[in-house]
Amino acid sequence: MSANALRWNGAPGHYEVYYLTVTEPRTGVGLWIRYTLLAPDAGPPTCALWFVAMDRDGFRTAHTETLPIEALQSAEDPFRLAIGRAELRNDGMNGALADCAWDLRWERTGPPVQPVHPLLVRTGVARTILTLPDPHVRVSGTVRIGERDLVLDAVGGGQAHLWGRAHAARWAWGHCSDFAGRPDDWVDAVSVFLPRFGRELGPTTPVVGCIDGEPFAATDPLRVVRTWSRFGLTDWQFAARDGHRRLVATVSAPRASLVGVTYHDPDGAPAYCYNSEVATMHLDVMHREGRRWRQTDTLYSDGRAHFEYGQRAPVPGASVLIG
């Protein structure tokens, strides 16, 4: 089964999301395009398109359209997902929503990556499964935002696919595949607090990437609960280890760039997400030498990284553009 194959079996109690994140470097406009499905515990299933764009100076726009499930069509080989007239494929996507439109294609640079360990999937501990069919792609094409046209030319981005039965109690997510002077490097991380017995347990923090041509994976169940992580609405720090290597990361997002949106679980419970596609990421690469760690490299992306913070209650004073 391909990493992008639709997992919904037609039963209630399921949600599924495909998304692309990319930041156009000349204008500094970040894009977040989502194709979604929600099969509630009660009521008819629906599908939806989301188009979100922002920059660091306060420009923000967000549009969504919800359609009956009959508007969704899917094929596995070759993969194709259509919602109305919008389409997602393994090598690109196109669509239109309100006064925005996109026609994008990308070059795949590596195999899919699975941040969630299979043991957590089999045991049901992971309530949402995240997979990265294309964690690092070079995106080209055109995007229209109102009267503004963007042209992308081999810009680093990422395409992800996730599904499950409920969102976390609280989480942070970060991605970058557009580090300055490092076109082949990328990192993707998520830190999740799970609700258990009336309180939050965690965080669990899987981190994957490719640094200087060498894959990085801190996904072992024992490793992810030991990964240090601290996050809030506009920032995140974490430190993850894979064998002899350690990544120490700082992610920050201007509050003016955040787009607040509302997710819904199949049981109707809301979760509030605050997303920036123009975040900054600083990544120190450490190597183990005997009992000590020595810094051997630094990666930096100014305004071309991606960050999301989520929790179960709205953040006071932070606007929600998609309710």
Side-chain angles (χ1 to χ4, degrees):
M1 178 181 292
S2 92
N4 263 328
L6 188 70
R7 268 35 179 212
W8 183 48
N9 63 7
H14 180 89
Y15 78 94
E16 196 153 353
V17 177
Y18 300 82
Y19 64 82
L20 174 76
T21 56
V22 64
T23 304
E24 200 288 306
R26 288 177 293 274
T27 61
V29 174
L31 304 169
W32 181 32
I33 305 174
R34 301 172 86 240
Y35 296 58
T36 76
L37 176 152
L38 177 63
D41 292 347
T46 58
C47 54
L49 292 171
W50 292 31
F51 180 92
V52 178
M54 75 283 288
D55 66 20
R56 293 198 288 182
D57 296 326
F59 163 73
R60 298 179 299 172
T61 188
H63 301 288
T64 185
E65 180 181 18
T66 300
L67 299 168
I69 199 65
E70 290 77 12
L72 181 144
Q73 297 180 350
S74 179
E76 183 175 344
D77 189 19
F79 169 74
R80 175 181 177 271
L81 183 84
I83 295 180
R85 292 179 294 171
E87 184 177 84
L88 170 66
R89 307 174 307 279
N90 278 331
D91 63 351
M93 59 165 53
N94 60 270
L97 187 57
D99 61 350
C100 302
W102 58 97
D103 186 4
L104 301 170
R105 60 193 181 278
W106 50 75
E107 175 191 352
R108 312 181 80 179
T109 62
V113 175
Q114 176 60 273
V116 181
H117 195 277
L119 178 63
L120 301 181
V121 177
R122 292 196 302 269
T123 58
V125 172
R127 305 198 307 169
T128 291
I129 312 302
L130 169 66
T131 188
L132 305 175
D134 288 299
H136 181 23
V137 292
R138 296 185 177 95
V139 184
S140 300
T142 58
V143 176
R144 187 182 77 247
I145 307 173
E147 298 181 355
R148 188 177 193 178
D149 291 319
L150 306 181
V151 178
L152 286 78
D153 184 12
V155 180
Q159 187 256 310
H161 176 204
L162 59 96
W163 64 93
R165 62 184 185 276
H167 295 86
R170 191 159 54 93
W171 73 90
W173 164 84
H175 178 94
C176 186
S177 48
D178 197 359
F179 289 105
R182 305 293 287 269
D184 298 325
D185 292 349
W186 63 272
V187 68
D188 192 286
V190 63
S191 194
V192 174
F193 283 89
L194 296 176
R196 287 291 188 275
F197 312 113
R199 62 190 182 94
E200 291 182 354
L201 294 184
T204 59
T205 310
V207 179
V208 294
C210 185
I211 308 297
D212 199 23
E214 187 177 355
F216 182 95
T219 60
D220 179 270
L222 293 179
R223 180 68 64 194
V224 299
V225 298
R226 296 174 181 171
T227 297
W228 180 79
S229 173
R230 182 175 62 194
F231 58 83
L233 176 65
T234 61
D235 61 276
W236 182 19
Q237 298 85 41
F238 65 86
R241 178 180 175 181
D242 178 15
H244 65 283
R245 291 175 302 158
R246 190 168 182 250
L247 301 183
V248 180
T250 299
V251 187
S252 60
R255 182 161 179 149
S257 74
L258 294 175
V259 172
V261 302
T262 308
Y263 298 154
H264 289 92
D265 291 342
D267 67 2
Y272 299 89
C273 161
Y274 302 88
N275 180 284
S276 175
E277 303 302 331
V278 290
T280 292
M281 182 179 290
H282 180 109
L283 194 67
D284 289 330
V285 183
M286 319 287 288
H287 277 72
R288 186 72 177 264
E289 294 183 351
R291 295 185 177 182
R292 296 186 177 184
W293 291 95
R294 181 173 66 90
Q295 182 177 338
T296 58
D297 205 351
T298 297
L299 285 73
Y300 186 70
S301 182
D302 184 14
R304 301 186 195 177
H306 317 294
F307 172 75
E308 175 177 295
Y309 170 77
Q311 62 179 40
R312 284 296 177 164
V315 174
S319 61
V320 175
L321 300 189
I322 295 180

